[in-house]
Amino acid sequence: MSPQTVLVLGGGIGGVVTANRLRRRLDRRHRVVLVDREQDFTLAASYLWVMTGHRTPAQVTRPLRRLERRGIDVRTGTVERIDPAERSVVIDGKVLTGDYLVVSLGAQQTPETIPGLAEEGHTFATLTGAQRLGVELGRIDSGRVLVATASPVYRCPAAPYEAAFLIDALLRRRQVRDRVEVVVHAAEPGPMGVAGPTVSGAVTNLLAARGITYRPSHQITRIERDLARFADGQDVPFDLLAYMPPIAAPTVVGDSGLAGPGGWSEADRHTLQTGYPGVYAIGDNVQITLAMGKPLPRAGVFAHAQALVVADTIAATILGRSAPAGFNGHGGCFIETGDARAGYGSGDFYADPAPRVALRPPGRALHLGKVAFEQNVLRRWL
């Protein structure tokens, strides 16, 4: 058996899990190379806890170089070009070629597509953004906090609603909630709509129970100082804006032969193999259309599951074994509601004609489940 090289592009949860799983399945004759532009891994699922002060940035950050102790070759650099036909990539001007290629480059955040959004608002979708937003939430003692999804397309469907619940809880702890209004204006027609009307309705009811005003199908067009302008002509003043940014496919993916309409990678919904032999796409950069016509949610839980499938498939191919079962579309996400409580929506997203998803009501045990997921990622894979 000749030595094989697997190139894994992207050091987010999908790439890190893929590289680890491959390293455990293959002996050291075979190379596993992980490439990321950043030196550190940060767990996006914990950013909201950074916002509320329950985590520090250091607690949710790990150096990717630690993976070298496990026999993974870590390269820091920007992916400038992908040639899926040759299974080669250009990293900061240098060409790397592999026998297998896994593209897990995530989604590109594009707040600049909404004029004034990045300048006047604070995002909870980045580590530094969550930290800065937490500082502002510690200062505000009256007025209005506007939580907004700036586009119908964004990462992690639960995140903006979790943000609203956690902001509400934080303000209650500070004993200023009676003087601070919390409102959610969302570009999509309902919370977590891909999960179905039952889940969407349950989240809407939770918002109402907390006194959080909710306005769906309300698209921001621009932000001016202390004022959000919407497509219907309405202007909404605010004292603090917390937003979920729009996203787009990474430019390097759109410029490669992997991209379909919209610039996202296309891959088989079960095997995650693209139209090129030995080339796979997982996580946020891949577009998987569900039976209902909407895309599979872009969330870490799906990237994690897809990574296991792809790593096991590549390892089985190299070792001459039978391919494992494919990705089945099952998954779920926690919905933090504050005060150490969380709900959990889970089910079969590949169900036809629509996903079959149920929401477990908020409780302390489910919050501990999210903590356990966080620690599993940080300790097991890094």
Side-chain angles (χ1 to χ4, degrees):
M1 182 190 307
S2 60
Q4 304 284 289
T5 296
V6 184
L7 301 181
V8 181
L9 307 184
I13 192 167
V16 164
V17 172
T18 301
N20 270 279
R21 185 80 156 201
L22 282 165
R23 188 68 286 162
R24 294 175 185 181
R25 294 286 188 265
L26 300 172
D27 63 50
R28 296 303 176 92
R29 287 177 298 169
H30 307 293
R31 293 178 66 214
V32 178
V33 182
L34 178 72
V35 179
D36 195 80
R37 63 184 178 185
E38 304 292 341
Q39 295 184 357
D40 295 325
F41 169 91
T42 61
L43 184 59
S46 299
Y47 291 171
L48 289 173
W49 289 337
V50 172
M51 178 190 76
T52 61
H54 289 95
R55 297 287 188 277
T56 65
Q59 287 176 309
V60 301
T61 301
R62 298 290 184 273
L64 286 170
R65 289 287 179 189
R66 290 175 59 163
L67 297 176
E68 292 181 338
R69 298 179 301 183
R70 304 183 182 189
I72 297 168
D73 183 355
V74 177
R75 304 290 182 93
T76 302
T78 300
V79 179
E80 298 172 340
R81 187 170 64 85
I82 301 172
D83 184 341
E86 297 295 328
R87 293 187 292 275
S88 69
V89 297
V90 178
I91 313 294
D92 290 343
K94 297 180 180 179
V95 179
L96 295 180
T97 302
D99 300 284
Y100 298 88
L101 179 62
V102 182
V103 182
S104 183
L105 290 171
Q108 180 179 333
Q109 296 186 7
T110 59
E112 67 279 1
T113 59
I114 307 292
L117 183 65
E119 293 80 9
E120 303 297 336
H122 297 271
T123 184
F124 43 84
T126 68
L127 184 58
T128 55
Q131 192 175 18
R132 291 169 182 164
L133 177 56
V135 172
E136 296 302 320
L137 288 168
R139 292 174 177 165
I140 191 168
D141 55 13
S142 65
R144 173 183 289 158
V145 177
L146 170 60
V147 180
T149 63
S151 165
V153 181
Y154 58 89
R155 287 195 72 256
C156 191
Y161 303 98
E162 286 187 290
F165 290 130
L166 291 173
I167 289 170
D168 166 78
L170 186 154
L171 295 173
R172 291 179 191 276
R173 287 198 305 275
R174 293 188 55 230
Q175 300 183 343
V176 297
R177 180 64 172 90
D178 60 335
R179 303 195 301 274
V180 181
E181 182 185 11
V182 180
V183 302
V184 178
H185 286 244
E188 66 271 19
M192 302 174 64
V194 71
T198 300
V199 173
S200 191
V203 176
T204 301
N205 290 338
L206 286 171
L207 291 167
R210 295 294 183 88
I212 299 171
T213 301
Y214 177 54
R215 175 74 185 273
S217 299
H218 213 209
Q219 176 65 60
I220 288 177
T221 56
R222 68 182 300 110
I223 304 295
E224 298 176 4
R225 185 170 180 82
D226 303 332
L227 191 70
R229 297 190 180 277
F230 290 84
D232 63 356
Q234 183 181 7
D235 294 340
V236 177
F238 61 84
D239 297 277
L240 179 60
L241 171 61
Y243 70 87
M244 194 68 172
I247 58 171
T251 303
V252 71
V253 169
D255 291 342
S256 74
L258 299 172
W264 302 101
S265 303
E266 292 189 332
D268 182 273
R269 69 199 315 234
H270 297 294
T271 66
L272 287 310
Q273 181 165 287
T274 68
Y276 296 86
V279 180
Y280 299 82
I282 65 172
D284 292 349
N285 64 196
V286 65
Q287 179 96 335
I288 297 176
T289 303
L290 305 177
M292 67 189 303
K294 294 182 179 180
L296 181 73
R298 291 178 166 89
V301 64
F302 293 118
H304 188 285
Q306 292 166 357
L308 296 176
V309 168
V310 167
D312 288 353
T313 299
I314 293 173
T317 303
I318 291 173
L319 299 173
R321 298 173 182 170
S322 299
F327 174 61
N328 61 12
H330 285 256
C333 65
F334 294 95
I335 307 169
E336 287 283 309
T337 58
D339 301 321
R341 296 178 183 274
Y344 187 67
S346 63
D348 180 4
F349 284 80
Y350 278 0
D352 195 355
R356 288 193 292 268
V357 181
L359 180 66
R360 294 172 60 186
R364 295 187 184 278
L366 291 173
H367 167 75
L368 293 175
K370 183 171 181 178
V371 173
F373 173 78
E374 172 197 56
Q375 295 305 306
N376 177 63
V377 171
L378 295 175
R379 294 176 180 176
R380 183 181 183 189
W381 302 118
L382 292 135

